[in-house]
Amino acid sequence: MSAYPDPSGVALASNFAEARKEIRNYTLNFGPQHPAAHGVLRLILEMDGEVVQRADPHIGLLHRGTEKLCESKPFNQSIGYMDRLDYVSMMCNEHAYVRAIETLMGIEAPERAQWIRTMFDEITRILNHLMWVGSSALDLGAMAVFLYAFREREELLDVYEAVSGARMHATYYRPGGVYRDLPDRMPKYRESPWKKGANLKRFNAAREGSLLDYIEAFAKDFPKRVDEYETLLTDNRIWKQRTVGIGVIPPEQALAWGMTGPMLRGSGIAWDLRKKRPYAKYAEVDFDIPVGVAGDCYDRYLVRIAEMRQSVRIIEQCIAWLKANPGPVMLDNYKVSPPSRESMKDDMEALIHHFKLFTEGYCVPAGETYCAVEAPKGEFGCYLVSDGANKPFRVHLRAPGFAHLSSMDEIVKGHMLADVVAMIGTYDVVFGEIDR
């Protein structure tokens, strides 16, 4: 069979159709069904074989109009929406919104409430990073870490439930303080077919005292649990092959993309709002800011592991102060504080006050403010505009994951398809806050 000659005289193909064939990149839909796409991320990847040439994230599949909903309700009725933004870092979201309201009203929560907020911000940070290390390891094929991390998450979700009655969506922070003081006793496990006898006693051993005693026991034990995660991952050959040198973000690039939190600190920039713009009681506690060197997925893993250890340091300092200093946890300001349950039982004025507070809310002085907190994923901010009414005129939320995900195309270009999974994991994306 004669070959079709090239104009240069070199034979290229055995037939005319083959001679005209071109090699093209192909387009691949990654997610939202893919388990590593975390539920609602749709990535359109342009692939050259196994190599990514372009990544186009399509967001909005979890858009619920949160900011617009906040503008149609009294200020104090929108705290619950904050829990549902980054639904792994619930109380940190509440903190930004509540601080914005307090700033406009010119009020400040009592000192004990500030310490409680500081402690729960760090409990939330540990909750977030446990979810992250478990799910990221699972995405890359490490099954055991996920089970280990969720063992500790259960213990901390019990703390959420003890103070607010809800395991996730707490609505615990309120303008002027917190919903209520820390309980004097911790709920215990009851006997069941799965927990009985000596096993039940072991589960309830840390629950004999108050909530602070329970958190103190957890803080004492937790560093050993972190050691277990590190034993499974830090020197694991497969984990290092999947993360070392993958998704390298130079410090200049991290700043240009507006990155914050572990994404920025992993690139070697020690920027942390708890140190640079202290709020609550962070100026009075001692802790370090872990930073990376190489700016790759492995460094960001090490930063988050180190942050969990630093959070335990902060929690221990908060416990020591809270045990030594009882006091009010809500302002004695009837504009923002509800009456006690006891007074509502026999005082009609108190009952009316409670009803008006939770149906109409309160008018916030006209003005605008931006309040940010160092959430586990980065800087979570709330821009709030009031026109003097009982509802916000404008609410805009600054979600760290939105800025991070926007850099996806630039970071993953030239990486293999399998590395896209590692990159989505290292971003620590939660679409409640990205889509809002």
Side-chain angles (χ1 to χ4, degrees):
M1 188 181 288
S2 62
Y4 286 87
D6 185 80
S8 63
V10 181
L12 293 177
S14 59
N15 59 61
F16 186 71
E18 196 174 328
R20 290 181 60 83
K21 197 186 292 180
E22 296 174 25
I23 297 171
R24 292 181 182 170
N25 294 343
Y26 59 92
T27 304
L28 180 73
N29 266 312
F30 182 99
Q33 289 83 5
H34 194 287
H38 295 262
V40 287
L41 170 63
R42 182 185 177 210
L43 265 183
I44 298 177
L45 301 174
E46 188 182 312
M47 306 293 297
D48 178 11
E50 278 284 303
V51 179
V52 178
Q53 297 299 317
R54 184 167 177 269
D56 185 13
H58 281 219
I59 62 169
L61 293 170
L62 198 60
H63 173 61
R64 294 162 293 178
T66 302
E67 294 159 332
K68 215 67 193 159
L69 283 168
C70 291
E71 292 166 21
S72 66
K73 286 184 169 53
F75 284 90
N76 58 342
Q77 288 186 19
S78 296
I79 301 168
Y81 285 131
M82 301 300 128
D83 292 314
R84 290 157 177 82
L85 291 166
D86 176 1
Y87 39 78
V88 193
S89 313
M90 296 72 67
M91 289 197 195
C92 289
N93 304 340
E94 292 176 21
H95 203 163
Y97 180 67
V98 163
R99 279 188 65 219
I101 295 172
E102 288 174 348
T103 304
L104 285 178
M105 294 185 77
I107 59 175
E108 194 172 317
E111 194 170 12
R112 183 174 174 84
Q114 300 272 22
W115 280 97
I116 290 173
R117 287 179 181 182
T118 306
M119 181 175 74
F120 270 98
D121 276 10
E122 295 310 309
I123 287 172
T124 305
R125 196 175 313 280
I126 293 174
L127 275 169
N128 182 91
H129 289 347
L130 285 174
M131 171 67 90
W132 175 83
V133 75
S135 60
S136 292
L138 191 64
D139 287 346
L140 299 183
M143 179 79 188
V145 190
F146 184 79
L147 304 173
Y148 278 56
F150 268 65
R151 175 186 61 187
E152 277 70 70
R153 266 181 68 84
E154 283 300 311
E155 294 179 20
L156 289 180
L157 288 173
D158 285 349
V159 174
Y160 260 53
E161 191 173 5
V163 294
S164 70
R167 282 164 56 83
M168 284 182 67
H169 304 311
T171 322
Y172 182 57
Y173 295 4
R174 306 286 170 91
V178 293
Y179 165 52
R180 61 175 181 178
D181 206 350
L182 305 175
D184 293 330
R185 61 186 183 84
M186 191 69 187
K188 294 183 182 179
Y189 287 109
R190 293 176 183 170
E191 190 166 336
S192 70
W194 301 274
K195 295 185 177 75
K196 53 186 177 183
N199 201 23
L200 181 66
K201 279 186 181 174
R202 181 173 64 83
F203 272 103
N204 282 333
R207 297 167 181 264
E208 297 295 337
S210 67
L211 176 70
L212 283 172
D213 295 329
Y214 177 80
I215 300 172
E216 190 170 27
F218 175 87
K220 199 172 288 183
D221 184 54
F222 186 63
K224 285 182 276 186
R225 307 288 177 91
V226 180
D227 292 341
E228 291 177 5
Y229 314 147
E230 291 223 62
T231 303
L232 287 165
L233 291 180
T234 303
D235 292 322
N236 184 310
R237 181 166 54 89
I238 302 170
W239 176 253
K240 290 181 83 169
Q241 284 171 342
R242 293 300 304 273
T243 55
V244 173
I246 302 299
V248 176
I249 305 174
E252 304 78 24
Q253 195 177 22
L255 285 171
W257 278 105
M259 292 183 180
T260 50
M263 292 296 296
L264 184 62
R265 294 192 285 274
S267 297
I269 298 175
W271 177 264
D272 190 317
L273 290 179
R274 296 172 297 170
K275 287 275 192 188
K276 306 294 185 185
R277 303 276 190 277
Y279 56 95
K281 288 293 173 185
Y282 282 110
E284 297 179 35
V285 292
D286 182 38
F287 66 100
D288 299 318
I289 305 174
V291 291
V293 178
D296 56 6
C297 290
Y298 188 70
D299 266 22
R300 290 187 283 274
Y301 152 75
L302 292 175
V303 164
R304 288 182 172 106
I305 290 289
E307 279 189 11
M308 287 198 279
R309 297 187 188 276
Q310 295 302 319
S311 291
V312 169
R313 278 180 65 190
I314 296 170
I315 288 168
E316 287 173 336
Q317 292 169 68
C318 291
I319 291 168
W321 192 94
L322 288 165
K323 282 189 169 184
N325 299 277
V329 295
M330 194 71 182
L331 276 182
D332 191 18
N333 177 343
Y334 295 123
K335 185 174 183 181
V336 295
S337 307
S340 68
R341 287 279 169 192
E342 189 181 2
S343 64
M344 281 169 59
K345 297 289 186 279
D346 54 20
D347 182 5
M348 189 63 187
E349 290 294 328
L351 188 64
I352 294 168
H353 171 215
H354 182 274
F355 177 77
K356 296 282 276 183
L357 181 65
F358 285 103
T359 54
E360 281 185 18
Y362 34 76
C363 293
V364 171
E368 61 181 333
T369 186
Y370 174 78
C371 286
V373 298
E374 186 66 38
K377 293 173 174 61
E379 179 181 327
F380 181 89
C382 177
Y383 172 67
L384 194 62
V385 182
S386 170
D387 58 0
N390 66 334
K391 297 171 186 172
F393 176 75
R394 181 75 178 95
V395 177
H396 179 69
L397 301 161
R398 194 257 182 215
F402 186 83
H404 298 161
L405 190 65
S406 63
S407 67
M408 173 68 79
D409 179 46
E410 190 170 325
I411 306 300
V412 301
K413 202 175 287 179
H415 283 68
M416 305 289 275
L417 175 61
D419 299 330
V420 174
V421 175
M423 204 61 217
I424 293 170
T426 197
Y427 277 139
D428 194 7
V429 288
V430 163
F431 279 85
E433 66 163 14
I434 292 172
D435 292 341
R436 299 193 288 284

